[in-house]
Amino acid sequence: MSATSRFLRTLAILLAAAAPLVAQAPEGIPRDLARQRAQQLQDVRYRLSYSISPKAPFIAGHEELRFVQNAYARGILPELLDFREGEVKSLTINGQAAPATIQNGHIELPAKLLRLGENVVDIDFTAPVAPAGKAFTRFEDKDDGSEYIYTLFVPMDAEMAFPCFDQPDLKAKFRLEVTAPLEWAVISNTTGVETFEANAGGGGIHRLEFPETKPISTYLFAFAAGPFKKVHDVPGMPGLYVRQSKLQKAEAEAPEVQQITADGIKYLSKYFAQPFPFPKYDMVMIPGFAYGGMEHAGATFLREESILFRAAPTHSDHLNRDILLLHELTHQWFGDLVTMRWFDDLWLKEGFAQYMAYHALADLKPNENVWKRFYQAIKPAAYAIDSTQGTTPIYQEITNLKDAKSAYGAIVYSKAPGVLKQLAFVLGEDGFRDGLRLYLKEHAYANAEWSDLVGAFERVSKKSLSEWASAYIKRRGMPQLDVEWTCAEPSGVSHVTLTQHNVLPEAGTWPVATQVLFHYRMTESVLRVEWQGTKTNFGDATKGQGCPQWIFANDADYAYGRFLLDPGSRKAVMASLGGIHDVFERTLLWGSLWDSVREAELDPSEYIELALKLLPNERDEALAQSIIGRMTTALHRYESPEVRGRLVPKAEALAYDQMLHSKEADMRIIWFRALRGVAETDKARARIKDLLSGKLVVPGVELRPLDRWNMITGLVALNDPEADALLAAEEKRDPSGDGRKYAYMAAAARPDAATKKLYFDAYLHDASRPEDWVEQSLGLFNYWNQEQLTLPYLSRALEALPQVKSQRKIFFVLGWLNAFIGGQQSPQAQAEVQKFLAGATLDKDLKLKILEVSDELDRTVRIREKYASGKPEHGL
Ligand SMILES: [Zn+2]
C-alpha cells in the first residue's frame, strides 16, 4: 500500500467513525480470526461476474456470495469479509442494503442482517489492475500491441480481486462469468462456454460462463484473459495456451511439454491411488510471471520464459522444465485436492510437490540419474539456509496471513523435500507411498495439517515418528555428521565413529538414517546406519576388506545434514576425484568439498585449481555446470584481486578451448556460458565481442537473443570501452518486448553512480515498471565487481524492506536481499548489516530473512580473512 492510499484510508476511517462499528477490524488476517470463521461458516459459494475493459485501471465486478452460518450459543455473529484496495459500490445482505465501509481491508457484515443457515450477500465492486503490485496484472505485449490480464492471488491477494473469506480452510465453490473483447480467450478452473456475443462496429464483446468448481481455496481460484491461443490442440492431451505473438515458438515446444504432463498425470494418479481430482487440466504460459508456475486447480499458470527458452538450452534445462511441470502437476493433489489448513504448513504442499516431481521423473525417465539431480538442485539451498541464524523449522508459525509470503523460500522448497527423502528411506518406499495414499484419501477436497500426515505414516508403518517429527518438522537447523576412523593393513578398519552436532549454536540431535560408503582401491561397500544421539560406533561390519581410501557418510544422499570428509578421506578424494566412475558419488564428493570451502576449512584456491585440472575430462553436463558455477563464485567472492588475476586467465582459456572443442553440444553450451561468466581480461572480452559479431561461433549451437544480451550485460558491467555502442546496437537489433526488458537489465549493470541512483529511485517509486523487469535487474545492479558503487544503497535497501514486503510478490524480498547484501564482500558491509539489525524495529520474518541472506556475507569475510592474501583492500 502506498503512503497516499494509506492516508486516504485513514481519512475514510475517520469520516466513518460516526457510524456504529462493532469493533476495530484487524489488519491482515490474524490466525484467530481465521479459526473463528472456519468454525462459524460452511458451504461457501462465490458467483463472480467480471466485465473487462481494455486499458482500464480497474475491473468492475459483481459477486453473489452464499454461506451458511452455524448455530452458536451466542446467537448470530457478525462476520468480516476481506477486501483490500478495491471499492464497494453497493452491498446487500439477505436482500437488505448495508453500509459498504472498508476498514483495514475488511467489510463488516453486521449480525442484525445475518441469519442462521444460508445467507446471501450481493456486492458490486471494482478491483485494481496494474502492471505490478495488484491481484490483477496487466501485461502489454510490445511485440504486437495485445493486452493480457491475469490473476495471481497466493497467498492472500484474492481479497484484492473480490470480497472473500481469504483463508485456505474456507474452501468454496466458484462460478465465474467474464465479459471481454470478442477476440479474447479466458482460461479458468473449469472450461468456459460462450453465452453471449455482440459485435457492435469494430469492437465486439462476448461473455464466457464457467461451471461451478469443486471446493477450492481462494488462492487457487484464477483466470487469465486475452488473445491467448491454444497450442497443439490434441484430444486427450492437457491444454496449453500462449499469447498469440509466441504461437509459432510454442508449437515447437508443445508436444514435449504436453507429453511429460500427460505421462505425469498417469503416473501420479496411479501412485496416489486417486484419479486426477479436477474436471480438466490446462496450462497457460504468461510472460514475466512472478513464479516458475502456480498450481491453480485445473489451470496452472507457467512463466513463459521457463517453457520457451530464451537462451540456447542444454539437456539439463529440458529436464528442469520437466521438473517444473511435474511440480505444478503434483500440486493438483498436494495443495489443491488436500490443502494445508494454514500457511504455517506450507511445506506440506511445496515439499511434496518438489519431492514427487523428482519421484515421478525418476520413473518416467529412468536413465536420467534423477536422484543425483535432486541432490544438486535441492540440497545446496537447504543446507545453506539451515546453517544460518535466519533459518526456521519446516513448520513455520504464522500469526497473521499478511506475513505468509515470508514462509516461501529454501525451507519449504529445499529442506522439506530433502527431509521427505530421508523419511522415505526410514519408512521404505511402500510405507511412504501407502501413507500418502491414506492421507489424500482421508482429506480429499478438504484441509489437513502436518500431524495428519505423520499420523497416516504411523498408522501404515506401525512406527512411531514423534521424535522424528519433533526434530525435523518442529525444530530448526540440521546436524553436521563427522566421521572418524582407524584402519591398519591387513586387518582393515578397526572402528568407525559417527558423531553429530547441531550446526547452529543450539542444543539438539536428530534421528539419522544413512548409508555409509567405504571406497576401496578396487571396490566399494555400503552400510546402512540408523541411530539417535550424538555418537555411534561400528566398523566390524567391514573387517577383512583392507583399508578404504575414503569413507563418506551420506552415500546416495538419503540423509539430511552437512557431511564433511575427514582430513584423510579429503586428501584421498582430492587425489582421485577425476577417476571415480559413479557420477552420483563424484557429485556428492564435489559437493562435500564445496561445503568445506564454505566452512573455511578448504582454501578456495585449492578448489579452483582442482576444478581447472579435472573439468576438461568431466563429461557430466550437470556436474560440470555446478563445478563451473562454484569456481566462478570463488573467483568473484572469495579470492583476493591478486589470486583472481592469476586464476582468471586460466579459467578463460579453459572455457574458450572447451567451448570450441567439447564433443557434445550441451558441453559446448555450458562452456560458452562459463566463458561469459569468467571473462575479464582484454583477450577474453575480445572473444565475447567476436561471438557477438559472428566472427567466432560455438560450433553446432545457435545462440538465442538472451545469450547475446547476457554477453552485452557482462561487457557493460566490466566497463568495456565498446559496451555502450554494443548495447545501443543490440537495442536496434532486438526491439521486441523481451529485448526492451533485457536492455533495461543490461543498463542496470553500468558501473557509474548516476545509473545506480536512477535505478534505485525507480525501484522504490515507479509502479509502472513490470515486476519481473525490476526483479531480474537487481543482481545486475549489484554486479560482483561493483560493491563500492552499491554499498551506499545497502542500508537504504534494508530500510525499504517493509514497503517491498507489502507491495511485491512472494519471492521479491529474498531476491532484493540476495542482490543488495549478496553484492557486498567487505567487513564494512557486514558491519552495516549488523548495525541495521541492531537498530531497526522490524517484523520478525524480515529480520530472519536478513539473517539468512547475510550469512553468505559473513562467510565471505571469514574466508577472505583466512585465505585471501593482500587483504583487506579488494574490489574493483
Ligand atoms: Zn509449488
Side-chain angles (χ1 to χ4, degrees):
M1 185 194 309
S2 72
T4 321
S5 72
R6 189 175 300 141
F7 167 74
L8 290 175
R9 178 152 310 159
T10 313
L11 193 66
I13 292 167
L14 289 173
L15 292 174
L21 293 173
V22 169
Q24 183 77 15
E27 248 197 85
I29 302 174
R31 183 76 183 95
D32 287 347
L33 171 63
R35 276 206 187 93
Q36 272 170 27
R37 290 197 302 207
Q39 279 180 355
Q40 289 163 10
L41 306 174
Q42 63 186 65
D43 294 338
V44 183
R45 283 166 187 236
Y46 299 93
R47 186 173 183 167
L48 289 159
S49 314
Y50 287 105
S51 185
I52 300 177
S53 310
K55 315 264 185 242
F58 57 82
I59 291 184
H62 176 81
E63 171 176 341
E64 181 196 272
L65 162 65
R66 288 169 185 268
F67 60 87
V68 168
Q69 191 176 87
N70 294 313
Y72 277 88
R74 285 191 291 148
I76 299 166
L77 302 171
E79 298 293 351
L80 288 181
L81 262 181
D82 311 322
F83 192 47
R84 278 186 291 139
E85 302 205 14
E87 271 185 52
V88 176
K89 305 287 184 191
S90 77
L91 169 68
T92 63
I93 302 169
N94 294 320
Q96 293 194 59
T101 313
I102 303 174
Q103 193 200 50
N104 264 350
H106 302 281
I107 302 167
E108 194 195 310
L109 308 179
K112 64 176 188 212
L113 297 178
L114 295 175
R115 51 190 178 221
L116 287 180
E118 190 175 67
N119 291 272
V120 185
V121 179
D122 275 279
I123 310 167
D124 284 304
F125 63 93
T126 58
V129 188
K134 305 296 175 201
F136 286 109
T137 304
R138 166 176 291 115
F139 172 77
E140 286 181 44
D141 188 339
K142 303 284 187 209
D143 294 353
D144 67 359
S146 306
E147 175 182 343
Y148 296 84
I149 285 175
Y150 62 92
T151 63
L152 181 55
F153 296 159
V154 68
M156 60 166 288
D157 287 349
E159 61 192 69
M160 248 199 278
F162 59 99
C164 57
F165 302 113
D166 202 3
Q167 62 188 72
D169 60 345
L170 275 173
K171 286 196 173 186
K173 295 179 177 175
F174 289 82
R175 280 171 70 178
L176 173 69
E177 283 175 24
V178 178
T179 306
L182 196 53
E183 66 279 12
W184 283 25
V186 181
I187 303 104
S188 184
N189 305 89
T190 55
T191 304
V193 180
E194 189 178 72
T195 56
F196 171 78
E197 188 189 315
N199 210 339
I205 56 164
H206 65 164
R207 185 169 61 225
L208 294 152
E209 285 190 32
F210 295 81
E212 193 167 66
T213 65
K214 300 265 189 192
I216 56 174
S217 303
T218 42
Y219 79 92
L220 293 170
F221 167 64
F223 68 90
F228 283 106
K229 297 288 173 231
K230 196 166 190 184
V231 193
H232 192 240
D233 190 1
V234 177
M237 278 295 187
L240 183 64
Y241 291 84
V242 72
R243 57 182 160 133
Q244 59 186 6
S245 63
K246 291 283 181 192
L247 182 59
Q248 211 185 335
K249 278 211 168 65
E251 288 285 357
E253 302 287 340
E256 200 179 308
V257 168
Q258 288 167 311
Q259 192 60 53
I260 191 77
T261 307
D263 292 347
I265 290 176
K266 219 185 277 172
Y267 174 79
L268 291 170
S269 306
K270 195 168 158 218
Y271 185 87
F272 291 141
Q274 281 276 351
F276 186 81
F278 302 101
K280 57 95 183 169
Y281 191 58
D282 289 326
M283 293 169 284
V284 186
M285 288 184 257
I286 293 177
F289 194 60
Y291 325 130
M294 179 59 211
E295 70 276 15
H296 308 113
T300 284
F301 292 177
L302 298 164
R303 182 187 288 159
E304 186 190 284
E305 295 87 333
S306 304
I307 306 299
L308 309 182
F309 301 116
R310 303 300 206 256
T314 63
H315 184 62
S316 289
D317 293 332
H318 281 94
L319 290 172
N320 289 340
R321 182 171 74 181
D322 290 345
I323 289 294
L324 169 65
L325 294 165
L326 293 168
H327 173 112
E328 303 308 337
L329 181 63
T330 302
H331 273 313
Q332 300 293 318
W333 288 265
F334 261 96
D336 297 4
L337 173 65
V338 180
T339 310
M340 71 264 160
R341 187 171 302 293
W342 187 245
F343 280 83
D344 48 12
D345 267 328
L346 182 62
W347 76 279
L348 276 181
K349 77 181 185 78
E350 295 308 339
F352 271 98
Q354 202 74 313
Y355 179 75
M356 286 307 302
Y358 284 88
H359 206 288
L361 193 65
D363 189 85
L364 299 174
K365 299 193 171 172
N367 298 325
E368 295 292 356
N369 221 330
V370 168
W371 292 110
K372 183 208 74 158
R373 291 178 183 277
F374 177 90
Y375 164 74
Q376 288 186 287
I378 300 293
K379 290 296 188 75
Y383 297 157
I385 186 174
D386 236 357
S387 43
T388 77
Q389 287 294 340
T391 195
T392 67
I394 284 180
Y395 171 87
Q396 307 178 68
E397 201 147 321
I398 291 168
T399 52
N400 192 309
L401 205 57
K402 71 182 168 63
D403 300 326
K405 280 182 193 172
S406 298
Y408 288 79
I411 286 296
V412 298
Y413 286 99
S414 299
K415 179 171 184 177
V419 161
L420 288 170
K421 189 175 179 201
Q422 166 80 137
L423 181 61
F425 189 61
V426 171
L427 294 174
E429 278 298 324
D430 290 353
F432 186 78
R433 181 200 60 214
D434 293 347
L436 293 186
R437 287 180 173 179
L438 182 64
Y439 168 82
L440 288 173
K441 190 172 150 204
E442 290 189 334
H443 306 283
Y445 302 107
N447 299 80
E449 300 174 9
W450 69 268
S451 52
D452 298 314
L453 180 73
V454 169
F457 284 132
E458 287 183 320
R459 276 151 62 201
V460 164
S461 69
K462 313 266 188 304
K463 277 188 184 173
S464 164
L465 291 173
S466 59
E467 299 248 2
W468 185 91
S470 65
Y472 284 101
I473 296 175
K474 296 292 291 251
R475 208 173 67 217
R476 69 178 202 159
M478 65 175 184
Q480 173 169 322
L481 290 104
D482 293 312
V483 190
E484 193 217 314
W485 52 287
T486 50
C487 187
E489 300 287 8
S491 57
V493 176
S494 52
H495 94 276
V496 183
T497 306
L498 277 181
T499 56
Q500 63 161 306
H501 69 267
N502 193 335
V503 297
L504 299 174
E506 292 166 12
T509 58
W510 282 256
V512 176
T514 189
Q515 186 165 290
V516 180
L517 171 83
F518 298 78
H519 183 101
Y520 302 90
R521 213 164 283 281
M522 304 301 289
T523 176
E524 291 190 338
S525 67
V526 293
L527 190 66
R528 183 182 173 118
V529 182
E530 282 190 58
W531 96 99
Q532 198 152 357
T534 52
K535 201 178 260 207
T536 185
N537 290 294
F538 55 94
D540 286 359
T542 61
K543 229 176 173 139
Q545 300 192 51
C547 287
Q549 288 178 289
W550 60 80
I551 296 179
F552 180 61
N554 193 23
D555 182 55
D557 184 40
Y558 293 114
Y560 182 84
R562 184 192 292 150
F563 298 86
L564 301 183
L565 291 160
D566 64 274
S569 291
R570 189 164 85 203
K571 208 167 150 213
V573 164
M574 289 182 77
S576 338
L577 192 48
I580 298 172
H581 291 298
D582 184 323
V583 62
F584 197 174
E585 183 182 347
R586 210 158 68 234
T587 302
L588 284 161
L589 294 171
W590 271 109
S592 182
L593 292 179
W594 181 246
D595 286 340
S596 298
V597 172
R598 294 189 79 249
E599 285 304 298
E601 286 189 7
L602 176 63
D603 187 336
S605 303
E606 279 189 63
Y607 184 95
I608 296 169
E609 300 274 14
L610 189 66
L612 290 171
K613 186 172 120 196
L614 298 183
L615 275 169
N617 295 315
E618 181 52 67
R619 297 267 67 92
D620 186 76
E621 171 221 327
L623 176 55
Q625 195 158 202
S626 108
I627 300 167
I628 290 168
R630 286 165 170 177
M631 176 179 80
T632 309
T633 300
L635 284 170
H636 291 166
R637 294 190 65 80
Y638 301 155
E639 297 292 8
S640 67
E642 297 74 39
V643 177
R644 200 174 77 237
R646 178 170 64 77
L647 293 174
V648 159
K650 291 189 192 178
E652 290 173 344
L654 175 65
Y656 176 70
D657 182 58
Q658 294 287 320
M659 175 184 87
L660 296 182
H661 302 123
S662 281
K663 264 201 217 114
E664 304 88 16
D666 280 340
M667 296 302 280
R668 294 194 294 275
I669 292 174
I670 65 163
W671 282 108
F672 155 69
R673 293 178 188 170
L675 177 62
R676 206 187 64 216
V678 297
E680 259 188 86
T681 63
D682 290 349
K683 192 171 169 188
R685 279 186 283 111
R687 284 171 171 164
I688 296 288
K689 285 180 253 181
D690 286 347
L691 281 163
L692 281 165
S693 71
K695 227 191 268 176
L696 179 65
V697 293
V698 186
V701 175
E702 198 186 327
L703 297 184
R704 297 191 184 184
L706 182 55
D707 292 313
R708 297 183 57 83
W709 282 108
N710 283 336
M711 287 191 277
I712 288 167
T713 304
L715 294 172
V716 169
L718 294 167
N719 215 11
D720 185 274
E722 291 166 59
D724 278 340
L726 286 166
L727 175 56
E730 198 68 14
E731 285 186 84
K732 281 213 185 88
R733 183 191 160 109
D734 180 7
S736 68
D738 278 354
R740 292 179 201 208
K741 173 170 119 182
Y742 299 142
Y744 171 85
M745 288 162 54
R750 196 174 272 139
D752 69 61
T755 298
K756 302 301 175 193
K757 183 177 180 326
L758 197 74
Y759 270 76
F760 191 84
D761 289 345
Y763 287 159
L764 293 181
H765 305 300
D766 179 3
S768 68
R769 193 69 71 190
E771 189 161 314
D772 63 310
W773 289 38
V774 175
E775 196 168 18
Q776 290 174 41
S777 74
L778 295 172
L780 302 170
F781 178 102
N782 290 284
Y783 213 78
W784 65 269
N785 67 340
Q786 297 175 19
E787 57 171 334
Q788 286 159 4
L789 273 173
T790 53
L791 183 61
Y793 294 95
L794 178 59
S795 56
R796 290 175 62 190
L798 296 174
E799 280 154 16
L801 279 172
Q803 176 192 342
V804 166
K805 173 179 156 186
S806 79
Q807 289 176 350
R808 300 294 188 175
K809 300 284 184 202
I810 285 172
F811 299 105
F812 193 93
V813 163
L814 209 50
W816 179 263
L817 286 172
N818 274 322
F820 283 97
I821 298 179
Q824 301 301 319
Q825 306 169 358
S826 65
Q828 298 95 294
Q830 189 186 28
E832 275 215 28
V833 174
Q834 282 163 359
K835 193 174 123 204
F836 178 81
L837 277 170
T841 19
L842 269 183
D843 288 352
K844 187 180 162 207
D845 57 320
L846 288 177
K847 194 175 168 192
L848 287 173
K849 293 280 178 218
I850 297 176
L851 288 169
E852 173 192 337
V853 173
S854 59
D855 179 81
E856 172 60 25
L857 175 57
D858 297 340
R859 284 175 195 272
T860 302
V861 170
R862 205 179 313 141
I863 293 168
R864 295 179 75 114
E865 267 173 9
K866 185 161 172 187
Y867 297 109
S869 60
K871 62 213 174 228
E873 55 167 337
H874 57 275
L876 292 171

